Amino acid sequence: MRFNRMLLSTALVVVALVIQVSVLARLHLPGAVPDLLLLTVLGLALVYGHVGGALVGFGAGLLADLAPPADHAAGRYALVLCVIGYLAGLAKPDNGQLKSATGPMAVVVAAAVGSTLLYAGVGALVGDTAARHVGLGNLLFTAALYDLLLAPFVVPGIMALARRAENDPLADTGGSAKSADVAPGLLSSGTGLSLGGRRGGGLKAKAAKARMARAGRIKGVKRL
């Protein structure tokens, strides 16, 4: 990943994690907690693609695993967000522009349901049965509902920031390319002028010699 991607992704992930832990987790909503970190990974994956989405998802999930008050095995949520980021990156639009909001909203719902199922599945493998006591169906419904309501305020902004960071280096390169293209044109135009001046000077010298020759002939005729 390029430096600007890493810098932007790190800043957005840290801000999302702080807001989720300090604000959203304390709302005590029924069922699941709105997953702002998941929405951040989705927004970046829809711009960076499947490879970038997987890397951002793994880093974001690992940070969430290590940040307090995490009460699960380290690497569990990193695996979940890595898979979700990779799959979401496959839905990246070819031209980078979204034609409608239907596609991203479908990705959000699928990611909310998929991350909950995958998290519960990995928990079952390591002996964590907390999802059974809460109710998996209730978790799936509330996770999809909360993330879907929060997505219009998060995903478009994340994608806009990621696109802007992607376009800045390209704009600088384009400006330097334009200046490089203009420079040869200026040099060639200057060379043409100098060549024209040299050609003009040569023509003037030939005309002067012709006039002197004619004057000499006229003087010779008069003397005769």
Side-chain angles (χ1 to χ4, degrees), residues 57-76:
F58 179 81
L62 186 60
L63 186 61
D65 289 333
L66 299 177
D71 56 352
H72 53 269
R76 180 176 172 183

Side-chain angles (χ1 to χ4, degrees), residues 9-212:
S9 301
T10 302
L12 292 176
V13 165
V14 170
V15 171
L17 183 60
V18 170
I19 295 176
Q20 181 168 331
V21 172
S22 60
V23 179
L24 298 179
R26 298 184 179 182
L27 296 179
H28 301 292
L29 297 174
V33 176
D35 201 339
L36 184 60
L37 194 61
L38 174 64
L39 297 178
T40 303
V41 172
L42 293 180
L44 294 174
L46 290 174
V47 177
Y48 295 157
H50 57 282
V51 177
L55 293 176
V56 172
F58 179 81
L62 186 60
L63 186 61
D65 289 333
L66 299 177
D71 56 352
H72 53 269
R76 180 176 172 183
Y77 202 46
L79 174 62
V80 172
L81 287 187
C82 180
V83 174
I84 296 299
Y86 179 85
L87 295 178
L90 296 176
K92 173 187 174 182
D94 297 332
N95 57 357
Q97 298 293 333
L98 297 174
K99 297 180 179 179
S100 64
T102 305
M105 293 302 103
V107 172
V108 169
V109 174
V113 174
S115 62
T116 304
L117 289 175
L118 187 58
Y119 187 83
V122 174
L125 292 177
V126 297
D128 185 3
T129 60
R132 297 180 182 179
H133 302 288
V134 178
L136 185 59
N138 185 29
L139 285 178
L140 292 175
F141 176 75
T142 54
L145 179 62
Y146 297 154
D147 292 347
L148 189 60
L149 293 176
L150 192 61
F153 304 98
V154 177
V155 176
I158 297 295
M159 295 180 66
L161 290 175
R163 286 199 193 100
R164 184 173 182 180
E166 287 288 287
N167 292 332
D168 282 344
L170 296 179
D172 295 338
T173 305
S176 60
K178 289 180 180 179
S179 60
D181 293 340
V182 171
L186 293 175
L187 293 176
S188 63
S189 63
T191 305
L193 291 174
S194 61
L195 290 176
R198 291 178 183 176
R199 290 175 183 174
L203 293 175
K204 290 180 180 179
K206 290 181 179 179
K209 290 180 180 180
R211 290 175 183 175
M212 292 176 65

